[in-house]
Amino acid sequence: MRKKIAFFSGDITRSGGTERVGTLIANGLAARGNYELFVLSLTHSGSQPGFHLAPEIHREAFSPHWIKPGVGYLPIIFRLKEYVRRHGIDVLIDIDGVLDVLSIPVKWMTGVRVISWEHFNYFENMGTGYRHMIRVLAARFADAIVTLTEQDRGFYMDNLKIRHEIRAIHNPADYLVPDHTLPERVFDKKELLSVGGLVEAKGFVKIPMIAHFLEEQYPSLDFMWRIAGEGAQRAEIEEQIRLWGVQHRVRLLGHVSEVGALYAQALVYVMTSKREGLPMVLLEAKQYGLPSVSFDIRTGPSEIIEDGVNGYLIPVTGDEKKDASVMADAIGRLLTDEKLYDSFAKHTKDHMEDFLLERIVGQWEELIGQVTGL
């Protein structure tokens, strides 16, 4: 008899990275033919999944409206219990770890196995206090915890008493493969690229300062730095562009629906984030053959970039001007030394097999077998 696996999501009709990856893994497991797959959401804000979901996967939601965490969750626990029993669910995979607060009580009532899937990192609480408490709950009662990186797995092990399995399973990156032949890059066209929401966590507000230091340290270098994305910090970034006098060097593109062309024409990808889970932009840059320069934050960059081989990891000291200056120098070296650049570019796809969907689905299948005793 096929095991019944339910992916539990906040809202699978959203088009965020969490929903994309959850859908990819669910589809991958469905294709194996060994499971009956379900995707359950707290709510559906749209009529269709944000990403393609295999037609054989059952989809359901508890409410057409957003459910506020707290007391609003209490009735959901009993509805989830009924859902698990009605469908005979063997394993609940919480796509967002915060849903463990619902799944773990249902585990106590039904015996369903629970896998808590961390999509951020141990230290990221998204501005709330309860995420940490839920991680403590998962460490004690979940049947397994999945982190995106080995580094984050280490943080869990160092800070919590893990009672069951904890495993690092990367997100797949196959879907990032360009669907067209890439043009040959022109080294004389010095374009930098950063992609993401203009929000505090992405650190784009530092880019004008880095651009200023790059111009100062390499005065003969003619470059353009494009930022694709939109968000609440746009006005602040524009102000920093004016403050550092780099209006001719930094360009805010706003929302770009298809960023592939930007990756294809850039020479170097730069990530200035303060925190990440597993930064998919760095994987996308690798797929496009782009060397990357990133702050060596926790977590993710050190498992994607091999420092001095296919990119640079810039230590974060807490001195923003010093860190910006060091990053500017690393970027400048890549933009001015064609031999160095070519060497880095040749190694951009090293270890990409670690991010293959087929391999990662196999890791999920192995974990499911472990928690179900098969």
Side-chain angles (χ1 to χ4, degrees):
M1 177 179 274
R2 294 190 302 169
K3 288 291 180 184
K4 296 184 177 183
I5 312 298
F7 286 80
F8 191 18
S9 167
D11 181 356
I12 204 64
T13 67
R14 292 183 303 204
S15 56
T18 300
E19 291 75 30
R20 180 194 289 272
V21 175
T23 300
L24 282 170
I25 301 304
N27 288 339
L29 288 172
R32 296 279 174 114
N34 300 322
Y35 311 98
E36 187 173 356
L37 272 296
F38 301 76
V39 172
L40 174 66
S41 297
L42 283 179
T43 183
H44 281 164
S45 56
S47 60
Q48 296 296 323
F51 303 95
H52 170 73
L53 196 64
E56 65 268 29
I57 297 176
H58 311 285
R59 183 168 64 93
E60 194 171 322
F62 285 134
S63 170
H65 309 292
W66 181 70
I67 301 169
K68 185 177 181 180
V71 293
Y73 273 5
L74 290 176
I76 300 300
I77 292 174
F78 296 98
R79 293 182 64 184
L80 180 58
K81 179 188 75 170
E82 190 274 333
Y83 180 91
V84 166
R85 286 183 170 164
R86 171 161 44 96
H87 293 289
I89 303 299
D90 296 295
V91 181
L92 265 179
I93 300 174
D94 292 336
I95 293 180
D96 186 338
V98 76
L99 297 174
D100 298 343
V101 75
L102 301 172
S103 297
I104 288 173
V106 172
K107 174 189 172 179
W108 297 333
M109 292 185 278
T110 67
V112 68
R113 302 291 192 266
V114 173
I115 298 176
S116 175
W117 191 0
E118 174 64 82
H119 278 274
F120 302 102
N121 67 62
Y122 176 80
F123 297 99
E124 178 55 70
N125 287 321
M126 307 294 287
T128 67
Y130 58 78
R131 275 190 181 268
H132 176 71
M133 296 308 300
I134 294 172
R135 288 185 179 115
V136 173
L137 185 73
R140 182 168 184 179
F141 296 110
D143 294 278
I145 294 172
V146 172
T147 63
L148 296 182
T149 65
E150 287 292 346
Q151 187 181 30
D152 200 36
R153 179 179 180 274
F155 292 143
Y156 267 84
M157 297 290 289
D158 291 344
N159 291 281
L160 295 175
K161 292 182 179 179
I162 309 294
R163 302 290 182 90
H164 299 284
E165 178 73 7
I166 179 166
R167 217 176 266 199
I169 302 179
H170 293 316
N171 284 343
D174 309 50
Y175 72 92
L176 302 171
V177 176
D179 58 2
H180 53 278
T181 302
L182 297 178
E184 188 163 341
R185 285 193 171 84
V186 179
F187 186 71
D188 290 339
K189 192 177 180 183
K190 315 293 188 180
E191 292 200 7
L192 304 172
L193 177 64
S194 297
V195 177
L198 307 185
V199 295
E200 183 264 345
K202 298 301 180 185
F204 290 157
V205 73
K206 303 173 188 173
I207 286 178
M209 176 168 44
I210 299 167
H212 165 79
F213 285 128
L214 180 56
E215 197 170 43
E216 190 177 72
Q217 294 166 12
Y218 293 85
S220 62
L221 181 63
D222 184 16
F223 67 93
M224 174 58 68
W225 194 331
R226 302 183 192 279
I227 306 171
E230 195 54 84
Q233 278 201 320
R234 184 184 184 97
E236 186 175 352
I237 296 168
E238 288 174 337
E239 177 59 28
Q240 288 296 309
I241 290 172
R242 287 190 292 271
L243 178 66
W244 289 99
V246 289
Q247 296 94 326
H248 58 305
R249 298 297 184 197
V250 179
R251 187 79 44 82
L252 293 176
L253 303 181
H255 175 72
V256 177
S257 58
E258 176 48 61
V259 296
L262 297 177
Y263 280 102
Q265 68 189 37
L267 271 188
V268 176
Y269 187 87
V270 184
M271 195 178 86
T272 55
S273 295
K274 296 181 178 181
R275 52 190 178 273
E276 291 281 351
L278 182 71
M280 300 304 286
V281 288
L282 293 182
L283 290 172
E284 192 155 16
K286 283 172 75 73
Q287 294 283 26
Y288 277 85
L290 275 181
S292 295
V293 180
S294 170
F295 286 124
D296 191 15
I297 56 168
R298 56 188 189 198
T299 55
S302 62
E303 295 186 28
I304 298 173
I305 296 172
E306 191 172 356
D307 188 42
V309 176
N310 54 25
Y312 286 117
L313 295 169
I314 309 303
V316 179
T317 67
D319 183 332
E320 287 197 352
K321 286 189 176 181
K322 178 182 176 182
D323 296 347
S325 178
V326 173
M327 177 171 271
D329 181 58
I331 295 169
R333 273 178 274 153
L334 276 172
L335 293 183
T336 57
D337 187 334
E338 189 168 5
K339 185 176 179 180
L340 176 69
Y341 181 86
D342 288 343
S343 172
F344 276 39
K346 286 175 184 175
H347 289 284
T348 52
K349 296 192 179 182
D350 289 358
H351 311 300
M352 282 303 290
E353 64 275 7
D354 294 340
F355 302 94
L356 294 177
L357 177 61
E358 189 69 15
R359 177 172 179 167
I360 289 163
V361 170
Q363 292 171 342
W364 274 100
E365 197 164 32
E366 181 185 328
L367 179 60
I368 289 167
Q370 182 172 331
V371 302
T372 58
L374 295 176

